[in-house]
Amino acid sequence: MRATVCLPTYNERENLPRMIEALRAVLREGDRVLVIDDNSPDGTGAIADALAAEHPFVDVLHRQEKDGLGRAYVAGFHRALADSAELVLEMDCDFSHDPADVARLIETAENGADLVLGSRYVPGGRTRNWGLARRLISRGGSVYTTLFLQMGVKDPTGGFKCFRRPVLERLDLDAITPRGYAFQIEVTYRAKRAGFKVVEIPITFVDRLVGQSKMSRSVVLEAIWRVPLLRLGR
């Protein structure tokens, strides 16, 4: 099953070349990487174009402005589906997600899972280099989401995923409007509600070493008010 890794970037000039090399080592023949750049002021988009010229498996989707992680993924999903991807992955470009785990996500999907989640909170999963505040926000978000949505998912806010094509075709992607990490919650919730098989596999999440985190107060607040609306069917 041909896979496309969607890789959103905003000011990731230090990380992107290393990430492409790391993915080149683990992807199979025919698999692709789609870099989705939000007009990064540090020149990441130009670096992505140079990498695409050097590596035939790399494509670049340029967006005009920074419009949130969720909108970047939706644009990437549409492009991957149009390019006939059978599996579509999402992951961070900052090495918080280990590129070596991409093969495990793909294998789990090929073995029957419709949506595979790289999970920090199932047995074997963990986080590294996080301070207390970040741990509390992440754990609190998982508990809060579980309280309202009862999805049976241990790590609903995680952003390391592999979708089978029918999942994305079934979901109304343009109706999923969160711009921050609430996007991750909503996509998984809608997939579960549609009856798709969701499987979590353990990963180690490592806080970025280069560049700045995109986590912000507005991202947290968006998740807080959107989760109850999901339960109400809005």
Side-chain angles (χ1 to χ4, degrees):
M1 301 179 73
R2 190 167 72 81
T4 294
V5 178
C6 292
L7 200 65
T9 57
Y10 186 77
N11 289 349
E12 296 287 0
R13 61 176 300 131
E14 296 96 339
N15 288 316
L16 182 59
R18 295 189 302 119
M19 177 57 73
I20 294 301
E21 285 300 317
L23 288 172
R24 185 164 73 102
V26 299
L27 293 177
R28 309 155 306 171
E29 183 177 355
D31 292 339
R32 307 197 64 78
V33 176
L34 175 62
V35 179
I36 309 147
D37 187 68
D38 279 6
N39 199 18
S40 297
D42 74 343
T44 300
I47 293 172
D49 287 335
L51 290 166
E54 180 182 355
H55 301 294
F57 67 93
V58 177
D59 298 306
V60 184
L61 175 60
H62 292 282
R63 301 204 312 153
Q64 293 303 306
E65 61 184 359
K66 186 180 180 182
D67 191 30
L69 183 71
R71 306 317 300 159
Y73 273 131
V74 167
F77 292 166
H78 281 306
R79 173 71 173 271
L81 294 175
D83 290 343
S84 302
E86 297 171 277
L87 300 174
V88 180
L89 293 90
E90 57 171 78
M91 67 180 297
D92 294 343
C93 187
D94 61 6
F95 287 89
S96 295
H97 302 138
D98 187 348
D101 287 331
V102 165
R104 297 172 53 229
L105 269 69
I106 289 174
E107 180 183 16
T108 305
E110 289 188 324
N111 286 336
D114 296 309
L115 170 55
V116 186
L117 311 180
S119 177
R120 297 161 289 189
Y121 302 132
V122 295
R126 60 191 180 121
T127 60
R128 282 177 27 206
N129 302 336
W130 268 13
L132 179 61
R134 186 71 185 273
R135 290 178 184 274
L136 290 175
I137 290 172
S138 179
R139 281 289 194 179
S142 296
V143 172
Y144 180 78
T145 301
T146 298
L147 178 66
F148 277 98
L149 301 182
Q150 300 294 315
M151 284 194 290
V153 171
K154 299 291 187 183
D155 192 357
T157 64
F160 197 9
K161 292 181 165 73
C162 180
F163 301 85
R164 278 180 175 257
R165 181 184 183 92
V167 179
L168 297 180
E169 290 178 328
R170 174 78 174 274
L171 301 180
D172 184 356
L173 293 175
D174 293 320
I176 303 175
T177 58
R179 285 173 163 75
Y181 291 99
F183 172 82
Q184 307 295 0
I185 299 170
E186 183 163 343
V187 167
T188 301
Y189 179 71
R190 292 188 182 278
K192 289 276 288 187
R193 293 269 294 180
F196 289 107
K197 182 180 179 181
V198 178
V199 175
E200 292 183 90
I201 65 172
I203 62 164
T204 297
F205 184 97
V206 182
D207 201 14
R208 69 160 62 227
L209 297 176
V210 178
Q212 293 184 337
S213 171
K214 309 305 188 293
M215 177 67 73
S216 67
R217 179 179 298 181
S218 63
V219 166
V220 175
L221 291 175
E222 181 189 43
I224 288 173
W225 68 263
R226 280 189 175 272
V227 165
L229 291 182
L230 276 178
R231 181 61 183 268
L232 294 173
R234 300 180 184 177

